Structures are given as structure tokens and as C-alpha cells.
Amino acid sequence: MKYQKKYLYIIICIVMSITVSLHAQQTETIFGSGTDISFLWGIDNRSAEIQNDFGSMVGFYGGALINKSLLIAFSTGLNLAHPDVNQGYLGLLCQYTKEPQKLKHYSAQLFVGRGSTKDYMMPKTNAFDNFGNVTGPSFLVIEPGINIEFNLHEEYRAVVGLAYRHVSGLDESDVLINKTNVTNEDLSGVNLYLSLKIGKY
């Protein structure tokens, strides 16, 4: 009986020792235990010339903000102002911000996604005429950009920048099949980028 109790105590001590050891071990992760991850979302406006007319797109994005500097988000947008051409896009936005704690700081971004475009025989009567109707030829869009950011509040930032949109995938057959006159060159070019970012920094 004495020996049984002794062995029981030894087993209990071994089990407790293993349990404490396992509890002390930290789970290995890609970003590490000290990584700060929060959610950020925003609205943006991209303005550029398309077929000699002013075009504007209103968009929305949301995703993970890592260590207050790296944003990985889904982004989508639709044409708002162009009188003849509708377009829309959906894709991934990656943005890196340098020294985000300063009142004025800088960021660089890259958007990659798919879009669709449609043009009309008659000009639109107002900005919301046929809003969202972008069913037409699809294209690939790659858009790098650089920005200046201003901290309006602890959770709000205003962003002003320039981006270059490169569009590919539209070809001559689209003119006959889809009755569109929009080309890669029409949708490619420099555009002004304005955004309001909202999140917990």
C-alpha cells in the first residue's frame, strides 16, 4: 500500500511537470505573438480621363491592418461620373504606410483585380443613371500608387495620391460581340486617388 501511494505521487508529479511544460510553450505563428492586427476600412474615389471625358469611380475597401503599417484588403468600385462609359472592379489592395504615427506621412499601394466595362449609345442623364450596370467585356487591372496621408483623428486618416492604372484583356473582337468601343488605352492612365481610412490604429 505504501509503495502504491509512492508510485501514485511520482506519476502525479510527472503528469503535472509535463502539463506545466506544455503550457509554457508558445504556439509558433507567421507574424509572431507581438504582432498587432486590427481591422481597417475606407471609401475612396479614383478620377481620370476616359475617351476625352472626366471619369470618376467611387469605391470601398476593408481588411487587416498589420502593425499599423501593412494593409491587406479587398477593394471594389463602380463608375460614378463618366457620361458614356460604366466600369467596375473587384480585387486585392495591398498598402504599406511609413511612420503612420506622424501627422503627415506617406504610403505606397498596389491594387490587382478584375473589372468589367460597358458603354452607351446615349449619354447618361445623371451620375446615377445606369449606376452599377457594368456587364460587358472583362479586363485585368494593375494599379500601383503613392499617397500622402494626414491623421485627422486617432481613427481617421485622409489620403491624397496618384496612381497609374494599367488595363489589359480588352481586344478588337469586343467591339463586334459586345458593342463596346472601350479599349485598354481608354481605361489605362494616371488617376487622382482620394480616400478616407477608418480603423483602430
Side-chain angles (χ1 to χ4, degrees):
M1 195 71 176
K2 253 185 179 182
Y3 292 110
Q4 288 179 352
K5 284 185 179 180
K6 185 179 178 181
Y7 291 136
L8 182 61
Y9 289 145
I10 293 173
I11 292 170
I12 290 173
C13 289
I14 292 172
V15 170
M16 287 181 65
S17 176
I18 294 172
T19 303
V20 171
S21 176
L22 290 174
H23 183 71
Q25 293 178 4
Q26 293 184 347
T27 302
E28 294 182 356
T29 61
I30 293 175
F31 296 109
S33 59
T35 303
D36 178 52
I37 301 178
S38 59
F39 180 78
L40 183 146
W41 67 277
I43 53 175
D44 62 35
N45 183 277
R46 294 175 168 126
S47 303
E49 183 181 292
I50 302 173
Q51 294 182 341
N52 300 317
D53 275 308
F54 176 78
S56 180
M57 296 185 71
V58 60
F60 171 85
Y61 57 91
L65 180 65
I66 303 169
N67 287 338
K68 298 182 172 62
S69 294
L70 179 62
L71 172 66
I72 302 176
F74 286 105
S75 178
T76 185
L78 291 169
N79 174 74
L80 183 63
H82 199 279
D84 302 312
V85 177
N86 263 10
Q87 60 168 320
Y89 63 84
L90 175 66
L92 184 68
L93 174 68
C94 294
Q95 185 183 84
Y96 177 76
T97 304
K98 185 178 180 181
E99 299 179 326
Q101 74 280 2
K102 292 188 175 181
L103 175 64
K104 183 182 77 172
H105 48 272
Y106 301 92
S107 63
Q109 65 188 40
L110 176 66
F111 171 79
V112 179
R114 296 291 299 180
S116 181
T117 182
K118 184 175 184 178
D119 58 341
Y120 299 94
M121 298 299 294
M122 298 294 292
K124 295 191 289 184
T125 56
N126 59 69
F128 291 98
D129 185 13
N130 286 305
F131 180 71
N133 184 5
V134 297
T135 54
S138 64
F139 55 85
L140 172 68
V141 55
I142 300 175
E143 185 177 284
I146 53 173
N147 311 306
I148 301 176
E149 300 191 5
F150 301 91
N151 292 339
L152 304 177
H153 183 266
E154 290 182 357
E155 298 182 358
Y156 299 91
R157 291 178 181 176
V159 184
V160 180
L162 287 175
Y164 182 82
R165 180 182 299 133
H166 175 73
V167 169
S168 61
L170 299 173
D171 55 48
E172 296 299 326
S173 63
D174 291 327
V175 177
L176 299 176
I177 298 172
N178 299 292
K179 294 182 169 52
T180 181
N181 295 305
V182 182
T183 66
N184 295 321
E185 289 73 23
D186 290 333
L187 298 183
S188 298
V190 176
N191 63 83
L192 175 65
Y193 179 83
L194 302 173
S195 176
L196 176 65
K197 299 200 296 188
I198 303 169
K200 191 168 181 63
Y201 296 96

